[in-house]
Amino acid sequence: TASMTEMQTVSEAMYKFEFSRAECDRLIRDCGFSDLEHEVFERRRRGESTVEMAMALNVSEATIQRKIKSAAKKIMREI
């Protein structure tokens, strides 16, 4: 079982999307992201803010936040 420290580290990485390129590729392949989740995942990985993503993708910041949460849940199932 994962320790609390390991779980916290995974949780922080999950919301910041701080993964290696190989890990990103595996998650994209295995998580079943929607098109928008995939786009948000990639943009978040590059460090874009939710406001920047919302403006670029012509959606609300709330939509971006929901997509981050839904992608994060899918990531947690794969980790």
Side-chain angles (χ1 to χ4, degrees):
T1 62
S3 72
M4 288 301 288
T5 303
E6 290 171 325
M7 289 171 50
Q8 183 178 3
T9 301
V10 168
S11 179
E12 289 170 4
M14 176 180 69
Y15 283 103
K16 294 179 184 176
F17 297 158
E18 293 176 352
F19 300 103
S20 70
R21 184 71 246 171
E23 289 170 323
C24 287
D25 291 343
R26 183 185 71 78
L27 291 170
I28 290 166
R29 183 186 70 237
D30 296 344
C31 284
F33 293 141
S34 69
D35 290 342
L36 187 53
E37 288 169 341
H38 179 218
E39 183 68 26
V40 167
F41 178 85
E42 288 291 349
R43 288 175 178 269
R44 186 67 165 201
R45 187 185 61 78
R46 291 191 306 258
E48 285 188 28
S49 71
T50 55
V51 172
E52 290 170 322
M53 286 186 268
M55 290 176 63
L57 298 171
N58 199 31
V59 297
S60 71
E61 189 177 0
T63 296
I64 297 298
Q65 291 169 345
R66 280 193 305 275
K67 293 304 173 182
I68 289 170
K69 287 179 184 177
S70 64
K73 287 179 184 176
K74 290 178 180 182
I75 290 168
M76 280 304 291
R77 287 195 297 259
E78 290 299 321
I79 292 179

